[in-house]
Amino acid sequence: MPDNKIITDREEMLEAVKNDGCALEYASDSLKADREVVLEAVKNNGFTLQYADDSLKADSEVVLEAVKDNVDQVNGGALEYADNTLWVDREFVLEVVKMSGNVLRYVDGSLKADREVVLEAVKNNVYALEYASDILKADRELVLEAVKNDGSALQYADDTLKADHEVVLEAVKSRGDSLRYASEELQND
């Protein structure tokens, strides 16, 4: 905004954020809490979530819209401004890990043990296996899914699976140097 004045007119602000989401910075507090205004702003520029009222930073629809184009930029990205309560919201987390499996590192521990959440994360990024619960790191089917896509995911698997001939074979098929993560016994086989 040219003169950095606070805008209180809703229609004027809606037009401004449609053209430049960063205009939300100059909205009155009531407009920063207006869901429609904030949705338009984050559609234009996800980083403008930082200017939204805290209540909207906990709104999963608003945050998902904000992170669509920059979900991998958790540090310094729009997710940085999301309310922490969203990391325990299973439906929100499922949507976000489908966009970027790496965000599994930020979710509540209970969801790191949720097979569906972890499977979706691993489908998106095999390295998300690193952040799964120990129980799921020992889940043969889940680990097979990961190593078939990138054998180096074997490094995050439970030791029992690092000694599993089929799992290691699949890992090596997709990435030959992943043998180094296999059990000593299989490395010498």
Side-chain angles (χ1 to χ4, degrees):
M1 311 285 5
D3 54 6
N4 295 347
K5 70 175 185 159
I6 299 299
I7 297 176
T8 57
D9 181 85
R10 187 174 189 275
E11 295 309 313
E12 182 182 352
M13 181 50 65
L14 267 172
E15 196 59 40
V17 296
K18 284 179 182 177
N19 292 322
D20 180 1
C22 291
L24 186 63
E25 180 178 5
Y26 305 104
S28 66
D29 288 346
S30 65
L31 291 177
K32 288 179 179 179
D34 183 311
R35 194 169 190 275
E36 184 183 358
V37 169
V38 172
L39 267 171
E40 287 300 328
V42 300
K43 283 178 184 175
N44 182 280
N45 182 335
F47 292 99
T48 61
L49 183 63
Q50 66 187 300
Y51 306 120
D53 184 78
D54 287 346
S55 64
L56 294 176
K57 292 176 182 177
D59 182 315
S60 60
E61 184 185 349
V62 170
V63 175
L64 284 171
E65 188 64 46
V67 302
K68 277 184 179 175
D69 294 327
N70 63 27
V71 72
D72 288 322
Q73 299 174 354
V74 174
N75 292 319
L79 276 175
E80 179 181 341
Y81 306 108
D83 189 274
N84 287 336
T85 59
L86 291 176
W87 295 118
V88 299
D89 179 331
R90 186 176 187 275
E91 296 310 310
F92 172 80
V93 168
L94 264 172
E95 288 302 311
V96 174
V97 299
K98 287 176 183 177
M99 290 186 250
S100 176
N102 273 339
V103 300
L104 187 64
R105 76 177 79 181
Y106 300 102
V107 307
D108 183 71
S110 64
L111 294 175
K112 291 178 181 180
D114 182 310
R115 191 172 191 285
E116 183 183 3
V117 168
V118 173
L119 185 58
E120 289 299 331
V122 167
K123 283 179 181 177
N124 179 276
N125 184 329
V126 297
Y127 298 106
L129 185 60
E130 176 181 3
Y131 307 107
S133 69
D134 289 343
I135 291 169
L136 291 180
K137 288 179 180 181
D139 182 311
R140 192 169 190 275
E141 184 184 335
L142 194 141
V143 172
L144 271 169
E145 173 80 29
V147 301
K148 284 179 180 178
N149 290 312
D150 186 334
S152 63
L154 184 62
Q155 67 188 301
Y156 305 117
D158 184 79
D159 288 345
T160 58
L161 296 177
K162 291 178 181 179
D164 181 306
H165 185 75
E166 182 186 354
V167 171
V168 172
L169 183 61
E170 289 298 328
V172 171
K173 280 182 187 176
S174 71
R175 187 165 171 172
D177 66 347
S178 62
L179 183 61
R180 64 185 166 171
Y181 303 118
S183 67
E184 224 176 283
E185 179 183 320
L186 287 183
Q187 286 183 34
N188 296 327
D189 193 9

